[in-house]
Amino acid sequence: MLGKLIKANFRKDMSHMISFLLIVILSSFLMHLGLMLILGYNSQFERKVEELHSPDLMVYMATYDEEERRAILDYISSLPEVDFYELVPTITLATEVVRDDIDPDSKDALENVSGTYDYAPYGEWGTLDKPVFVDLYEGPVDEPIYMSRLYNQEIFKGAYKAGDEITLKINGRERVFTVAGFYESVSLYNLFYIDPVTLAELNSGDVYPVYQIGIRLADGVDVNEEYNKLCNEFDSRQIASSVISINEFQLLYTQMINIISVFLCAFAVIITLVVLVVIFFRITNSIEQNITNIGALKALGYTTHQIRTAHILEFVITACIGFLVSSGLIYLIISPLEVLLRSVAYMSWDHPFDPVSFAVTGIVIVGSSFLVALKSTSSIKGLDPVIALRFGLKSHSFKRNVVPLDSTGGPLVWLMALKSSFASKKQNILVTVVMFSIGVSMAIAVFVGYNVGFKPENLQALLSDSYADVLVRVNDDNPISEIEDLPYVEHAWWKDDFNAACEGTNILAVVTEDWNQVPNVNMLEGRLPKYDDEIAVGKKLAESQNIMIGDMIVLETAGHSFEYTVTGYAQSSDNYGLIVLMNEDGTTHLGHECSKYSVYLIVEGSSPAKSAKVIENIDSVFGDRLLMYVDYCTALAEGADPTIMLARVICIVLIIVSLAVIWLTMMLLIKTIIIKSQKELGIKKALGFTSRQLRTELSLSLMPSICLGMSVGAIIGILNSNTFLTVLLSAYGVSKSNMVAAPWMMVLVIVFGVIASYLMVYGLSRRIKKISAYSLITE
């Protein structure tokens, strides 16, 4: 009996269930995919760490002194926390990439990929993080070269494939190599592997002594503590070196994927909320419409449990089908998607079946559908069959006559629309909640699209201690005086930095002559330092060490220490937010002598054309003394950065999916309204109303709920968008996002959402054309 009842429900509600099915597929697809990515890539990284026996710390040390190098190795080996270390056999050579689209004489740092590159002999690696070679070229190769996927993407913008030739001028001599393949490694991402014989031939001339040391720590040792210990030790010995922890490598390989996943899961939650509201509305409305049929079923012997179960299973089965279909779609597209994601993840992902994401998505989608359906059918329990057969749930409505047509002035269609709008509370709640959800998602899409996709300089300003349009490096003691007098230059300041220690934590001290003369400093609270005993600290550093404004903290360098007063909190992604800002006169206490050759500029109007002119003028003034430049204005305007392109794609997808959710929800709602109001619509047509008037009335009747939901969602979305972005970028050192969240964004979302919704409702209401008074006559 139950099976027949379920089949009957499906036959009767087929078109509604198709709309519901599509919404479920969309929500479960986004949630399942988001969970798969965030779990898959992070677990893939952890598997690689174990499989490759990856180091916990990598030390990059540059020194010509053999005794100093030996002393450092002896120090590392003496640490009880070090289980094992290994010296990577590399040499660093002056290298120029010879390519038609690259100008070897260009001083543009974003264009010229020439510089110093690390080389290692192919086949001569140790036990730590042995490279895994992929995409191997099968043909014969005379001079093979292997590079990391990350290097190919980051440095060469994905220009090379296995089998391609690459011409390198090494120490002034050109060599033609064949890209024999790429490798994946957790830490050795910046090496070129070449034949040992070729490397021996090249090992003459300008060879830079950079040594890479992989360190594996003993079990239970805190990686961050050892990282700070090594950094401080090298700083105290004044050794040019850098240390990277496994946590930084994990951030490099997985952070962009994690951001994408959070967007997908957040939007999936919003759509799931829509799904639950749709279930509640559909079931309660179905009970009201079919109350006499339910009474008849009870009179025929069906129990309340059977009737409720049939309604519940109708939605649970549909939710299960939608979830399984979405899972199938994911595994169909995951392989090509994984190839595309290599440009931001830099490593391949095996993407096997993920039982955790499958189970979590299924429980959330199907489980929540079951619970809402269970709650929605509770009104059937107290329904007496006799009352149901005679009267329905209500035999008479004693509601006040809102907007009486005989005494209210105004256009008749508008008055009828207003009257209809007040008539259905459940319908209004459904539309309001759905449009609220869409308003939030579209608001975030507009916020991210504007601040990252359209105005990427806002993101750059968020991630830097002081935003600049142009960076130039000039071989001069203090080139500021000549640069700031050039046309179109509004502001010019030099910046320097050095490493110091604060309570055992390695920090980056960022210095300029006077921070109060620098525009666009990323200060969150307090004020900039004025005197030589004052500093502003990074908010992340303050949070980690519980530093308050007004506190005195001690900074240490090699042989020096000094107590500074904290005047405020700054923000920067440099050193993941563990920074301090100080003026030049404050560095004397720590024995640091500032270098002033890195000059940052603000150009009039932040114009790419004017920034190009400024760079041209600087080149003409300094000539060969201009070492390099970065034109942020032009680079951001062109939008070629993967982060910018990704932000634009995410925003477009969010808008498209939002419109799809509105369409599917309104499709279900409009059909329900039309079926419920067939007799009323037929009578109105008999009275002379046209289909266009009735469609307009229906569209206008939903506008109050649409406007309310979209307005509240847009306002809440924009007001909380910076909080959402802070969570996304917290790993980069961002403690507080302060990007533009303007009122016009709310207006844009509301206007666009309302107009799009009206057009959709009007389009979906074309079924009214088929209704006539004659077709509703019964004998």
Side-chain angles (χ1 to χ4, degrees), residues 27 125 198 205 218-219 234 252 302 438 458 470 488 507 514 537 590 681 702 736 738 762:
S27 62
W125 39 73
T198 303
D219 292 340
F234 295 152
L252 173 69
Y302 283 90
I438 299 304
N458 291 349
V470 176
Y488 307 125
I507 63 168
D514 182 1
V537 303
L590 298 176
L681 292 170
L702 298 176
K736 182 180 180 182
N738 48 16
Y762 189 84

Side-chain angles (χ1 to χ4, degrees), residues 10 21 24-25 28 315-327 366:
F10 269 113
L21 175 67
V24 171
I25 290 174
S28 56
F315 285 89
V316 169
I317 291 171
T318 305
C320 286
I321 294 172
F323 164 63
L324 294 175
V325 169
S326 69
S327 299
V366 179

